[in-house]
mmCIF file with all atom_site columns, all heavy atoms in Angstrom:
data_model
loop_
_atom_site.group_PDB
_atom_site.id
_atom_site.type_symbol
_atom_site.label_atom_id
_atom_site.label_alt_id
_atom_site.label_comp_id
_atom_site.label_asym_id
_atom_site.label_entity_id
_atom_site.label_seq_id
_atom_site.pdbx_PDB_ins_code
_atom_site.Cartn_x
_atom_site.Cartn_y
_atom_site.Cartn_z
_atom_site.occupancy
_atom_site.B_iso_or_equiv
_atom_site.pdbx_formal_charge
_atom_site.auth_seq_id
_atom_site.auth_comp_id
_atom_site.auth_asym_id
_atom_site.auth_atom_id
_atom_site.pdbx_PDB_model_num
ATOM 1   N N   . ASP A 1 422 ? -2.478 -7.670  -15.409 1.00 0.00 ? 422 ASP A N   1
ATOM 2   C CA  . ASP A 1 422 ? -2.299 -7.527  -13.828 1.00 0.00 ? 422 ASP A CA  1
ATOM 3   C C   . ASP A 1 422 ? -1.749 -8.700  -13.161 1.00 0.00 ? 422 ASP A C   1
ATOM 4   O O   . ASP A 1 422 ? -1.267 -8.838  -12.035 1.00 0.00 ? 422 ASP A O   1
ATOM 5   C CB  . ASP A 1 422 ? -3.660 -6.938  -13.223 1.00 0.00 ? 422 ASP A CB  1
ATOM 6   C CG  . ASP A 1 422 ? -3.967 -5.489  -13.536 1.00 0.00 ? 422 ASP A CG  1
ATOM 7   O OD1 . ASP A 1 422 ? -3.030 -4.868  -13.828 1.00 0.00 ? 422 ASP A OD1 1
ATOM 8   O OD2 . ASP A 1 422 ? -5.084 -5.141  -13.659 1.00 0.00 ? 422 ASP A OD2 1
ATOM 9   N N   . SER A 1 423 ? -2.141 -9.907  -13.728 1.00 0.00 ? 423 SER A N   1
ATOM 10  C CA  . SER A 1 423 ? -1.708 -11.185 -13.240 1.00 0.00 ? 423 SER A CA  1
ATOM 11  C C   . SER A 1 423 ? -1.637 -12.238 -14.324 1.00 0.00 ? 423 SER A C   1
ATOM 12  O O   . SER A 1 423 ? -1.854 -11.926 -15.502 1.00 0.00 ? 423 SER A O   1
ATOM 13  C CB  . SER A 1 423 ? -2.640 -11.596 -12.105 1.00 0.00 ? 423 SER A CB  1
ATOM 14  O OG  . SER A 1 423 ? -3.951 -11.755 -12.688 1.00 0.00 ? 423 SER A OG  1
ATOM 15  N N   . GLY A 1 424 ? -1.259 -13.432 -13.941 1.00 0.00 ? 424 GLY A N   1
ATOM 16  C CA  . GLY A 1 424 ? -1.274 -14.524 -15.003 1.00 0.00 ? 424 GLY A CA  1
ATOM 17  C C   . GLY A 1 424 ? 0.043  -15.124 -15.145 1.00 0.00 ? 424 GLY A C   1
ATOM 18  O O   . GLY A 1 424 ? 1.039  -14.729 -14.533 1.00 0.00 ? 424 GLY A O   1
ATOM 19  N N   . THR A 1 425 ? 0.237  -16.093 -16.131 1.00 0.00 ? 425 THR A N   1
ATOM 20  C CA  . THR A 1 425 ? 1.404  -16.886 -16.307 1.00 0.00 ? 425 THR A CA  1
ATOM 21  C C   . THR A 1 425 ? 2.520  -16.020 -16.789 1.00 0.00 ? 425 THR A C   1
ATOM 22  O O   . THR A 1 425 ? 3.639  -16.253 -16.470 1.00 0.00 ? 425 THR A O   1
ATOM 23  C CB  . THR A 1 425 ? 1.238  -17.932 -17.278 1.00 0.00 ? 425 THR A CB  1
ATOM 24  O OG1 . THR A 1 425 ? 0.505  -17.571 -18.360 1.00 0.00 ? 425 THR A OG1 1
ATOM 25  C CG2 . THR A 1 425 ? 0.380  -19.165 -16.595 1.00 0.00 ? 425 THR A CG2 1
ATOM 26  N N   . GLN A 1 426 ? 2.173  -15.013 -17.634 1.00 0.00 ? 426 GLN A N   1
ATOM 27  C CA  . GLN A 1 426 ? 3.340  -14.101 -18.272 1.00 0.00 ? 426 GLN A CA  1
ATOM 28  C C   . GLN A 1 426 ? 4.112  -13.492 -17.117 1.00 0.00 ? 426 GLN A C   1
ATOM 29  O O   . GLN A 1 426 ? 5.327  -13.477 -17.002 1.00 0.00 ? 426 GLN A O   1
ATOM 30  C CB  . GLN A 1 426 ? 2.566  -12.980 -19.023 1.00 0.00 ? 426 GLN A CB  1
ATOM 31  C CG  . GLN A 1 426 ? 3.662  -12.276 -19.947 1.00 0.00 ? 426 GLN A CG  1
ATOM 32  C CD  . GLN A 1 426 ? 2.998  -11.169 -20.689 1.00 0.00 ? 426 GLN A CD  1
ATOM 33  O OE1 . GLN A 1 426 ? 1.821  -10.877 -20.587 1.00 0.00 ? 426 GLN A OE1 1
ATOM 34  N NE2 . GLN A 1 426 ? 3.831  -10.422 -21.509 1.00 0.00 ? 426 GLN A NE2 1
ATOM 35  N N   . LEU A 1 427 ? 3.328  -13.025 -16.075 1.00 0.00 ? 427 LEU A N   1
ATOM 36  C CA  . LEU A 1 427 ? 4.035  -12.363 -14.900 1.00 0.00 ? 427 LEU A CA  1
ATOM 37  C C   . LEU A 1 427 ? 4.836  -13.423 -14.123 1.00 0.00 ? 427 LEU A C   1
ATOM 38  O O   . LEU A 1 427 ? 5.947  -13.182 -13.710 1.00 0.00 ? 427 LEU A O   1
ATOM 39  C CB  . LEU A 1 427 ? 3.032  -11.646 -14.094 1.00 0.00 ? 427 LEU A CB  1
ATOM 40  C CG  . LEU A 1 427 ? 2.465  -10.413 -14.519 1.00 0.00 ? 427 LEU A CG  1
ATOM 41  C CD1 . LEU A 1 427 ? 1.631  -9.764  -13.475 1.00 0.00 ? 427 LEU A CD1 1
ATOM 42  C CD2 . LEU A 1 427 ? 3.563  -9.389  -14.896 1.00 0.00 ? 427 LEU A CD2 1
ATOM 43  N N   . LEU A 1 428 ? 4.155  -14.522 -13.913 1.00 0.00 ? 428 LEU A N   1
ATOM 44  C CA  . LEU A 1 428 ? 4.862  -15.625 -13.113 1.00 0.00 ? 428 LEU A CA  1
ATOM 45  C C   . LEU A 1 428 ? 6.121  -16.037 -13.814 1.00 0.00 ? 428 LEU A C   1
ATOM 46  O O   . LEU A 1 428 ? 7.233  -16.160 -13.201 1.00 0.00 ? 428 LEU A O   1
ATOM 47  C CB  . LEU A 1 428 ? 3.985  -16.759 -12.929 1.00 0.00 ? 428 LEU A CB  1
ATOM 48  C CG  . LEU A 1 428 ? 2.751  -16.491 -11.918 1.00 0.00 ? 428 LEU A CG  1
ATOM 49  C CD1 . LEU A 1 428 ? 1.877  -17.730 -11.942 1.00 0.00 ? 428 LEU A CD1 1
ATOM 50  C CD2 . LEU A 1 428 ? 3.223  -16.235 -10.531 1.00 0.00 ? 428 LEU A CD2 1
ATOM 51  N N   . ASN A 1 429 ? 6.087  -16.117 -15.201 1.00 0.00 ? 429 ASN A N   1
ATOM 52  C CA  . ASN A 1 429 ? 7.315  -16.578 -15.901 1.00 0.00 ? 429 ASN A CA  1
ATOM 53  C C   . ASN A 1 429 ? 8.379  -15.523 -15.825 1.00 0.00 ? 429 ASN A C   1
ATOM 54  O O   . ASN A 1 429 ? 9.600  -15.883 -15.584 1.00 0.00 ? 429 ASN A O   1
ATOM 55  C CB  . ASN A 1 429 ? 6.860  -16.747 -17.310 1.00 0.00 ? 429 ASN A CB  1
ATOM 56  C CG  . ASN A 1 429 ? 6.228  -18.102 -17.615 1.00 0.00 ? 429 ASN A CG  1
ATOM 57  O OD1 . ASN A 1 429 ? 6.310  -18.954 -16.768 1.00 0.00 ? 429 ASN A OD1 1
ATOM 58  N ND2 . ASN A 1 429 ? 5.518  -18.148 -18.649 1.00 0.00 ? 429 ASN A ND2 1
ATOM 59  N N   . LEU A 1 430 ? 7.958  -14.291 -15.904 1.00 0.00 ? 430 LEU A N   1
ATOM 60  C CA  . LEU A 1 430 ? 9.012  -13.232 -15.840 1.00 0.00 ? 430 LEU A CA  1
ATOM 61  C C   . LEU A 1 430 ? 9.666  -13.267 -14.395 1.00 0.00 ? 430 LEU A C   1
ATOM 62  O O   . LEU A 1 430 ? 10.965 -13.097 -14.307 1.00 0.00 ? 430 LEU A O   1
ATOM 63  C CB  . LEU A 1 430 ? 8.402  -11.874 -15.962 1.00 0.00 ? 430 LEU A CB  1
ATOM 64  C CG  . LEU A 1 430 ? 7.986  -11.461 -17.347 1.00 0.00 ? 430 LEU A CG  1
ATOM 65  C CD1 . LEU A 1 430 ? 7.318  -10.054 -17.448 1.00 0.00 ? 430 LEU A CD1 1
ATOM 66  C CD2 . LEU A 1 430 ? 9.201  -11.361 -18.367 1.00 0.00 ? 430 LEU A CD2 1
ATOM 67  N N   . ARG A 1 431 ? 8.982  -13.457 -13.423 1.00 0.00 ? 431 ARG A N   1
ATOM 68  C CA  . ARG A 1 431 ? 9.546  -13.518 -12.037 1.00 0.00 ? 431 ARG A CA  1
ATOM 69  C C   . ARG A 1 431 ? 10.401 -14.717 -11.882 1.00 0.00 ? 431 ARG A C   1
ATOM 70  O O   . ARG A 1 431 ? 11.335 -14.708 -11.019 1.00 0.00 ? 431 ARG A O   1
ATOM 71  C CB  . ARG A 1 431 ? 8.389  -13.590 -10.978 1.00 0.00 ? 431 ARG A CB  1
ATOM 72  C CG  . ARG A 1 431 ? 8.169  -12.252 -10.424 1.00 0.00 ? 431 ARG A CG  1
ATOM 73  C CD  . ARG A 1 431 ? 7.013  -12.195 -9.420  1.00 0.00 ? 431 ARG A CD  1
ATOM 74  N NE  . ARG A 1 431 ? 6.136  -11.126 -9.653  1.00 0.00 ? 431 ARG A NE  1
ATOM 75  C CZ  . ARG A 1 431 ? 4.792  -11.215 -9.658  1.00 0.00 ? 431 ARG A CZ  1
ATOM 76  N NH1 . ARG A 1 431 ? 4.173  -12.335 -9.279  1.00 0.00 ? 431 ARG A NH1 1
ATOM 77  N NH2 . ARG A 1 431 ? 4.170  -10.164 -9.798  1.00 0.00 ? 431 ARG A NH2 1
ATOM 78  N N   . GLU A 1 432 ? 10.144 -15.617 -12.608 1.00 0.00 ? 432 GLU A N   1
ATOM 79  C CA  . GLU A 1 432 ? 11.160 -16.867 -12.607 1.00 0.00 ? 432 GLU A CA  1
ATOM 80  C C   . GLU A 1 432 ? 12.266 -16.781 -13.573 1.00 0.00 ? 432 GLU A C   1
ATOM 81  O O   . GLU A 1 432 ? 12.984 -17.704 -13.682 1.00 0.00 ? 432 GLU A O   1
ATOM 82  C CB  . GLU A 1 432 ? 10.323 -18.121 -12.826 1.00 0.00 ? 432 GLU A CB  1
ATOM 83  C CG  . GLU A 1 432 ? 9.413  -18.587 -11.685 1.00 0.00 ? 432 GLU A CG  1
ATOM 84  C CD  . GLU A 1 432 ? 8.436  -19.594 -11.988 1.00 0.00 ? 432 GLU A CD  1
ATOM 85  O OE1 . GLU A 1 432 ? 8.651  -20.366 -13.073 1.00 0.00 ? 432 GLU A OE1 1
ATOM 86  O OE2 . GLU A 1 432 ? 7.462  -19.915 -11.220 1.00 0.00 ? 432 GLU A OE2 1
ATOM 87  N N   . GLY A 1 433 ? 12.367 -15.668 -14.243 1.00 0.00 ? 433 GLY A N   1
ATOM 88  C CA  . GLY A 1 433 ? 13.552 -15.401 -15.148 1.00 0.00 ? 433 GLY A CA  1
ATOM 89  C C   . GLY A 1 433 ? 13.226 -16.196 -16.567 1.00 0.00 ? 433 GLY A C   1
ATOM 90  O O   . GLY A 1 433 ? 14.119 -16.226 -17.300 1.00 0.00 ? 433 GLY A O   1
ATOM 91  N N   . LYS A 1 434 ? 12.048 -16.583 -16.772 1.00 0.00 ? 434 LYS A N   1
ATOM 92  C CA  . LYS A 1 434 ? 11.640 -17.159 -17.974 1.00 0.00 ? 434 LYS A CA  1
ATOM 93  C C   . LYS A 1 434 ? 11.152 -16.144 -18.931 1.00 0.00 ? 434 LYS A C   1
ATOM 94  O O   . LYS A 1 434 ? 9.968  -15.734 -18.772 1.00 0.00 ? 434 LYS A O   1
ATOM 95  C CB  . LYS A 1 434 ? 10.638 -18.344 -17.807 1.00 0.00 ? 434 LYS A CB  1
ATOM 96  C CG  . LYS A 1 434 ? 11.114 -19.443 -16.920 1.00 0.00 ? 434 LYS A CG  1
ATOM 97  C CD  . LYS A 1 434 ? 10.053 -20.556 -16.826 1.00 0.00 ? 434 LYS A CD  1
ATOM 98  C CE  . LYS A 1 434 ? 10.255 -21.387 -15.668 1.00 0.00 ? 434 LYS A CE  1
ATOM 99  N NZ  . LYS A 1 434 ? 8.983  -22.010 -15.078 1.00 0.00 ? 434 LYS A NZ  1
ATOM 100 N N   . ILE A 1 435 ? 11.924 -15.731 -19.834 1.00 0.00 ? 435 ILE A N   1
ATOM 101 C CA  . ILE A 1 435 ? 11.539 -14.634 -20.709 1.00 0.00 ? 435 ILE A CA  1
ATOM 102 C C   . ILE A 1 435 ? 11.082 -15.197 -22.083 1.00 0.00 ? 435 ILE A C   1
ATOM 103 O O   . ILE A 1 435 ? 11.907 -15.799 -22.800 1.00 0.00 ? 435 ILE A O   1
ATOM 104 C CB  . ILE A 1 435 ? 12.563 -13.554 -20.955 1.00 0.00 ? 435 ILE A CB  1
ATOM 105 C CG1 . ILE A 1 435 ? 12.964 -13.137 -19.478 1.00 0.00 ? 435 ILE A CG1 1
ATOM 106 C CG2 . ILE A 1 435 ? 12.104 -12.414 -21.649 1.00 0.00 ? 435 ILE A CG2 1
ATOM 107 C CD1 . ILE A 1 435 ? 14.461 -12.418 -19.599 1.00 0.00 ? 435 ILE A CD1 1
#
Side-chain angles (χ1 to χ4, degrees):
D422 287 336
S423 59
T425 47
Q426 191 183 1
L427 286 184
L428 291 174
N429 284 340
L430 285 177
R431 260 179 228 140
E432 289 171 11
K434 296 179 198 155
I435 307 163

